[in-house]
Amino acid sequence: MAYSQIRVNILPRLRSLFDKTLQVKVEGLPPHKSVELRSKVVDDRGMTFKASAVYKADETGQVDVCRSPSLRGSYTGVQPMGLFWAMAPETPHSKFLKKNVLIPTRVEIEALSAETGEILASEINEREYMTEGMKRIPVREGSIRGVLFVPPGDGPFPGIIDLYTFGGRLCEPRASLLASKGYAVLALPYFGYQDLPKNPQTLHLEYFEEAVTYLRTRPEVCGPGIGIISMSHSGGLALAMSSFLPGISATVCINCCIGNTVIPLHYKDIVIPALSPVLENIKFVEPGLIDIRDALPDTSLEENRASLPPIERASCHFLFAVAEDDHNWNSLVSAQQAAATLKKHGKQSFQVVTYPKSGHFLEVPHMPHCPSGFHGAVGSNVLFGGEPEAHCEAQVDLWERVQEFFRRHLYNKSAL
């Protein structure tokens, strides 16, 4: 076989933003030739993730993953981005980690003979996080720490605070990609980063209040209100911020608990205690892996009300995104309870969107699915749930909904 005529093409270009859908094509194959496509990426921790799929070339000797079905492998059927979202870690229970968004994620794609395993062609796709002209500004202002991403252009831009998960410390990929859509986004860690406490016994809402004030007064940010995007543990913080702090117009809570968890939250003379887990509800799935979905107590009971932020006080709009197979906790029940509380107080300024068969970590589009991994608060590997294909579809849909939600509620708002 003349390998020199076989090539892997990645369209529209070899460098693209991480959230963009690509077209992977193999050209120059013999007609109806079976070919295996493999993808590989090494994350910033040095963990390797891989996927593979077998295709059959058409009569012209071409495989186009946007039109041709995968016959077997990490996924089947027509999946334009399957080589990206279906990548699984070589080391079990590993979550894809990206620390430095200034350096693209390099995905290697190889075409191999399905019969012999010989490499026929290969190409590198560089998945970027920042658009040309975007600014990445480290923040060390007063007590707050983090990174501010500012889009190219004159601005000012709507402002968003990005809060990640309990174990995420500072996480920049979502914030930088959201900034590429025209928002000034502050990625805000709240412990375990620089000189922030590594293992805080309490969290203080004043820290988040300072961050809101900082972002609202930046010259690059237009007002009057800002947005918050949160996930998992930080969802409870976002609910508290929306309940007590002025200047917040739109809040996204992805797979959150309606109550405060893990660490007590203080604000002035108010204490919101953390919910106490029900240890007997933890299930052992296999050696070294547990299921904590039902470990939190019933937040509708009077005895647990003190752990719930008073979201009926909030004046913002809410978007609650729920993965129905979330095994970190029952985020569907939390979203339903939040909606019921808001309705009870005459408020209709919320949306609840649910995703069947998706798991806890609803990230940006095409991020490899994480069905299990280490949980910082539990100190063990836990189930996070979800089926890869459904999870991928949820991430794509939610990403568009988040952008539409912020466009609707952060632009052209009257003064608060």
Side-chain angles (χ1 to χ4, degrees):
M1 184 186 302
Y3 294 169
S4 60
Q5 67 183 10
I6 301 173
R7 58 192 179 277
V8 175
N9 283 336
I10 301 174
L11 305 172
R13 57 186 64 87
L14 293 179
R15 291 177 69 112
S16 60
L17 279 176
F18 193 97
D19 63 334
K20 296 299 182 184
T21 298
L22 301 176
Q23 182 180 26
V24 178
K25 300 172 73 173
V26 183
E27 299 172 321
L29 294 163
H32 311 295
K33 167 76 173 175
S34 291
V35 62
E36 180 182 5
L37 296 184
R38 294 181 182 174
S39 57
K40 183 178 79 170
V41 66
V42 179
D43 75 0
D44 287 4
R45 191 189 284 116
M47 295 293 181
T48 299
F49 295 73
K50 293 181 177 179
S52 65
V54 175
Y55 291 86
K56 180 174 281 191
D58 63 18
E59 62 277 2
T60 68
Q62 177 178 275
V63 170
D64 180 350
V65 301
C66 291
R67 297 189 294 110
S68 305
S70 165
L71 304 178
R72 62 183 182 275
S74 302
Y75 59 92
T76 57
V78 178
Q79 297 288 346
M81 294 298 289
L83 289 168
F84 297 86
W85 60 255
M87 286 191 285
E90 286 188 332
T91 303
H93 315 308
S94 297
K95 184 180 184 299
F96 182 84
L97 178 69
K98 183 60 181 175
K99 290 183 177 179
N100 186 357
V101 297
L102 297 175
I103 300 175
T105 291
R106 291 169 56 87
V107 180
E108 180 182 2
I109 297 179
E110 294 180 330
L112 304 89
S113 168
E115 292 84 12
T116 67
E118 293 177 278
I119 298 176
L120 309 177
S122 65
E123 191 57 272
I124 300 290
N125 175 238
E126 294 192 335
R127 314 284 286 155
E128 296 184 302
Y129 299 86
M130 298 183 61
T131 55
E132 184 176 354
M134 185 187 295
K135 297 176 184 176
R136 178 189 179 277
I137 305 170
V139 175
R140 192 180 177 93
E141 187 83 16
S143 64
I144 64 172
R145 304 290 180 264
V147 173
L148 177 65
F149 292 94
V150 180
D154 296 332
F157 309 96
I160 297 171
I161 290 178
D162 186 313
L163 301 169
Y164 199 58
T165 65
F166 181 84
R169 307 318 196 256
L170 176 69
C171 188
E172 301 182 23
R174 183 175 64 185
S176 57
L177 288 168
L178 199 52
S180 74
K181 313 304 178 186
Y183 301 94
V185 185
L186 174 63
L188 184 70
Y190 48 93
F191 72 92
Y193 175 73
Q194 293 185 353
D195 58 347
L196 296 176
K198 287 185 171 54
N199 297 292
Q201 300 305 301
T202 59
L203 292 174
H204 294 274
L205 199 61
E206 285 84 355
Y207 173 80
F208 302 92
E209 186 173 37
E210 187 177 345
V212 170
T213 300
Y214 167 81
L215 187 60
R216 293 184 71 196
T217 55
R218 288 285 306 198
E220 304 95 335
V221 175
C222 62
I226 63 166
I228 303 172
I229 184 167
S230 61
M231 182 165 63
S232 191
H233 177 265
S234 69
L237 298 174
L239 292 176
M241 292 169 68
S242 303
S243 301
F244 291 108
L245 307 181
I248 297 169
S249 297
T251 299
V252 176
C253 294
I254 303 170
N255 288 331
C256 76
C257 175
I258 192 175
N260 184 43
T261 59
V262 187
I263 306 173
L265 181 63
H266 291 221
Y267 184 55
K268 299 178 180 177
D269 58 348
I270 299 170
V271 177
I272 303 178
L275 291 164
S276 298
V278 183
L279 298 181
E280 55 264 34
N281 288 348
I282 295 175
K283 301 173 184 176
F284 290 85
V285 180
E286 60 185 55
L289 183 64
I290 61 177
D291 186 344
I292 61 171
R293 179 182 172 91
D294 299 318
L296 289 181
D298 185 348
T299 51
S300 67
L301 298 178
E302 185 64 35
E303 63 202 64
N304 298 315
R305 294 286 175 84
S307 297
L308 276 59
I311 60 173
E312 64 275 6
R313 295 177 45 170
S315 58
C316 67
H317 291 263
F318 288 104
L319 172 61
F320 296 98
V322 173
E324 292 187 9
D325 195 39
D326 183 357
H327 278 259
N328 184 74
W329 47 38
N330 197 327
S331 51
L332 178 58
V333 168
S334 277
Q336 291 171 336
Q337 186 175 346
T341 298
L342 292 169
K343 278 185 179 178
K344 180 180 177 181
H345 289 83
K347 300 195 173 184
Q348 301 293 329
S349 54
F350 64 89
Q351 305 172 49
V352 178
V353 57
T354 61
Y355 296 102
K357 300 181 181 179
S358 59
H360 185 63
F361 282 103
L362 286 176
E363 306 265 18
V364 296
H366 321 310
M367 186 71 75
H369 174 227
C370 178
S372 62
F374 184 79
H375 194 300
V378 179
S380 174
N381 289 323
V382 306
L383 280 178
F384 289 124
E387 298 178 8
E389 183 178 341
H391 192 87
C392 164
E393 293 172 355
Q395 290 185 151
V396 172
D397 183 84
L398 178 58
W399 188 236
E400 294 302 319
R401 286 179 185 268
V402 164
Q403 294 174 59
E404 193 277 333
F405 177 76
F406 283 136
R407 279 195 298 269
R408 185 189 309 168
H409 299 300
L410 294 185
Y411 283 94
N412 300 320
K413 303 293 290 183
S414 59
L416 296 179

